[in-house]
């Protein structure tokens, strides 16, 4: 009996390892690049809200504009990057340019000083890099793993990505502690270290990621061919859902600022909020990606936005202290683990290989533009209505977004 149990466990372990190996070495290489790059990005992201709001004294409305620019203002460049990558069939090169731009932007924060306009320009450059690299990278993932394992492939990649996101705020906290959080040069030290780490990510991409050159299509990639994607009902419905879900997302900075507003967290501990979220994301990304392959990707995505709605309700409710931190950050990480890669895995099979990057960039652009609007509107709502009413409206919006997305993306019954 005991020996048979061991045999079953060994067999299960072998199957699990085979499934991971089936994901492909290129997915792991892309995950390593994202891991290192996210250490760099999250170092800045973790300190940016407190730097802008408490350091530069921006109000919620101004912060909402800057935060929206950080994600949404360069959204159209995602389409440019996706189209160019499909046109030249060199997705690695386009992604590499994006990673390099984001690395250079970290040094630009040193030159920006205390100017909100200059900081906005530098953040736009950073997001330009992200806009260029994200769709080619995700397209490479869809081309490097079998379609039945796309959820698992994206889960593995996002788990590695979240390892970097988990480590980034800790590195920022260590730099602040070494330099002194009250030292005027403390944030400059964070930016310099962030640049060095980002440069390592570019080097990893050059050395270890292999491009996946799809066969030259019979019909060349052209603006007309790209526009033809919108004729497919599946792609159109996915774009509508991406917009609706983007409008329901107020952004990390606001969630963490609301936690600080409610619990009065010391500035030096602020980066640890992102650490809690990313720990949950790290632990759940791969299991939820595999679950999406088994039970369906749409239920997992909708469950993730359900977790987001509960986070908003917790921020507006009476819960406080460590139960609030534990529940909110765990659920916030679960939201990302359920939606970030799974939505791209949902999109991949709907798109032809020759236009895979362009199609993914369309979905990401729709979501980013909606997020830009959401961030600006939430900042205005917080400033003029107050934090409690603003987050309560956001919770209601998330519930509506879940219902609309279910109606839009639910499988259609075949007509007899």
């Amino acid at each position: 009996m005991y020996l048979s149990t061991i045999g079953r466990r060994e067999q299960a372990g072998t199957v699990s390892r085979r499934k991971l190996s089936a994901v492909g070495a290129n997915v792991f290489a892309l995950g390593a690049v994202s891991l290192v790059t996210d250490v760099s990005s999250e170092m800045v992201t973790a300190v940016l809200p407190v730097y802008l709001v408490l350091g530069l004294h921006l109000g919620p409305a101004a912060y909402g504009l800057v935060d929206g620019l950080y994600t949404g203002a360069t959204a159209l460049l995602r389409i440019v990057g996706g189209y160019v990558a499909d046109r030249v069939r060199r997705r690695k090169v386009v992604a590499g340019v994006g990673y390099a731009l984001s690395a250079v932007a970290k040094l630009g924060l040193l030159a920006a000083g205390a100017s909100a306009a200059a900081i906005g320009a530098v953040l736009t450059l950073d997001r330009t890099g992200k806009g260029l690299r994200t769709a080619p990278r995700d397209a490479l993932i869809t081309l490097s793993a079998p379609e039945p394992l796309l959820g698992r492939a994206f889960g593995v990649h996002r788990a590695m990505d979240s390892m970097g996101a988990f480590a980034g705020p800790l590195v920022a906290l260590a730099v602040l502690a070494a330099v002194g959080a009250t030292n005027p040069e403390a944030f400059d030290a964070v930016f310099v270290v962030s640049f060095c780490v980002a440069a390592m990510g570019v080097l990893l991409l050059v050395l270890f990621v292999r491009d996946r050159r799809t066969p030259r299509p019979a019909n060349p990639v052209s603006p007309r061919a790209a526009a033809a994607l919108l004729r497919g009902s599946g792609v159109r419905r996915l774009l509508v859902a991406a917009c609706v879900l983007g409008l329901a997302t107020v952004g990390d900075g606001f969630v963490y600022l609301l936690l600080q507003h409610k619990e009065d967290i010391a500035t030096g501990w602020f980066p640890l909020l992102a650490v809690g979220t990313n720990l949950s994301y790290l632990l759940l990304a791969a299991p939820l990606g595999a679950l999406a392959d088994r039970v369906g990707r749409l239920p997992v995505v909708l469950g993730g936005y359900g977790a987001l709605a509960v986070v908003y309700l917790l921020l507006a409710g009476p819960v406080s202290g460590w139960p609030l931190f534990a529940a909110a950050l765990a659920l916030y990480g679960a939201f990302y683990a359920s939606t970030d890669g799974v939505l791209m895995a949902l999109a991949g099979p709907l798109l032809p290989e020759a236009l895979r990057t362009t199609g993914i960039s369309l979905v990401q652009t729709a979501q980013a533009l909606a997020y830009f609007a959401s961030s600006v509107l939430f900042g205005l709502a917080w400033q003029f209505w107050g934090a409690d009413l603003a987050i309560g409206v956001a919770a209601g919006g998330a519930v509506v977004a879940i219902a609309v997305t279910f109606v839009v993306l639910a499988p259609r019954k075949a007509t007899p």
Side-chain angles (χ1 to χ4, degrees):
M1 182 75 172
Y2 175 69
L3 292 176
S4 65
T5 302
I6 292 177
R8 286 196 297 271
R9 288 177 180 173
E10 289 178 347
Q11 184 179 11
T14 301
V15 171
S16 179
R17 287 191 293 273
R18 285 176 181 170
K19 286 182 178 179
L20 283 177
S21 64
V23 164
N26 218 38
V27 173
F28 285 95
L30 287 163
V33 173
S34 292
L35 189 158
V36 173
T37 302
D38 247 36
V39 172
S40 168
S41 298
E42 291 300 320
M43 286 181 66
V44 174
T45 302
V47 301
L48 195 61
V50 71
Y51 176 58
L52 294 175
V53 174
L54 300 184
L56 302 186
H57 306 292
L58 295 186
Y63 174 74
L65 179 60
V66 172
D67 185 58
L69 283 171
Y70 191 60
T71 298
T74 59
L76 295 178
L77 282 171
R78 295 171 185 257
I79 298 178
V80 174
Y83 175 76
V84 169
D86 281 336
R87 178 80 179 183
V88 302
R89 296 183 301 127
R90 293 184 180 275
R91 297 173 178 88
K92 175 181 171 178
V93 173
V94 177
V97 171
Y99 280 110
L101 282 177
S102 292
V104 171
K106 304 303 188 296
L107 291 181
L109 287 169
L110 292 172
S115 169
I119 289 172
V122 172
L123 294 179
T124 300
L125 177 64
D126 177 71
R127 295 300 92 178
T128 298
K130 184 173 178 63
L132 287 175
R133 73 180 184 250
T134 303
R137 180 203 66 199
D138 285 351
L140 278 173
I141 294 173
T142 68
L143 296 170
S144 300
E147 193 276 331
L149 294 179
L150 280 182
R152 188 183 301 272
F154 274 100
V156 167
H157 175 269
R158 294 317 198 250
M160 297 181 71
D161 183 272
S162 61
M163 288 180 193
F166 174 75
L170 294 177
V171 176
L173 191 62
V175 172
L176 290 174
V179 178
T182 58
N183 189 326
E185 298 180 354
F187 289 106
D188 289 349
V190 171
F191 301 149
V192 170
V193 174
S194 175
F195 164 75
C196 295
V197 176
M200 290 173 57
V202 176
L203 185 61
L204 285 174
L205 178 79
V206 172
L207 294 177
F208 297 108
V209 173
R210 290 176 291 127
D211 212 342
R212 293 285 181 176
R213 301 287 298 276
T214 51
R216 189 177 295 278
N219 298 318
V221 175
S222 65
R224 179 176 293 181
L229 287 174
L230 299 177
R231 295 175 192 163
S233 63
V235 175
R236 289 201 306 270
R237 288 188 286 117
L238 192 62
L239 288 175
V240 170
C243 287
V244 171
L245 295 174
L247 285 171
T249 310
V250 302
D252 298 358
F254 277 124
V255 170
Y256 300 149
L257 286 171
L258 285 164
L259 276 170
Q260 186 189 49
H261 173 77
K262 190 169 184 177
E263 296 296 320
D264 194 23
I265 307 166
T267 301
W269 296 106
F270 190 85
L272 289 180
L273 298 177
V275 172
T277 296
N278 290 320
L279 176 60
S280 174
Y281 188 1
L282 166 64
L283 295 175
L284 295 174
L288 287 174
L291 178 66
D293 286 337
R294 289 199 302 272
V295 305
R297 289 156 193 166
L298 180 59
V300 174
V301 169
L302 296 180
Y305 277 91
L308 180 65
V310 175
V311 171
Y312 294 162
L313 291 173
L314 286 170
L315 292 172
V319 181
S320 62
W322 70 263
L324 171 64
F325 287 109
L329 298 180
L331 287 169
Y332 203 42
F335 154 67
Y336 276 118
S338 303
T339 59
D340 189 17
V342 178
L343 188 61
M344 294 304 101
L346 188 66
L350 298 175
L351 304 166
E353 283 192 3
L355 291 168
R356 183 72 53 86
T357 319
T358 304
I360 288 176
S361 69
L362 282 171
V363 176
Q364 293 172 342
T365 295
Q367 198 166 23
L369 288 174
Y371 173 85
F372 174 76
S374 172
S375 188
V376 172
L377 291 173
F378 185 80
L380 290 170
W382 185 350
Q383 183 147 331
F384 292 106
W385 296 350
D388 292 340
L389 180 56
I391 197 64
V393 171
V399 173
V400 171
I402 292 169
V404 172
T405 302
F406 175 77
V407 171
V408 170
L409 292 184
R412 302 301 197 257
K413 291 183 178 180
T415 55

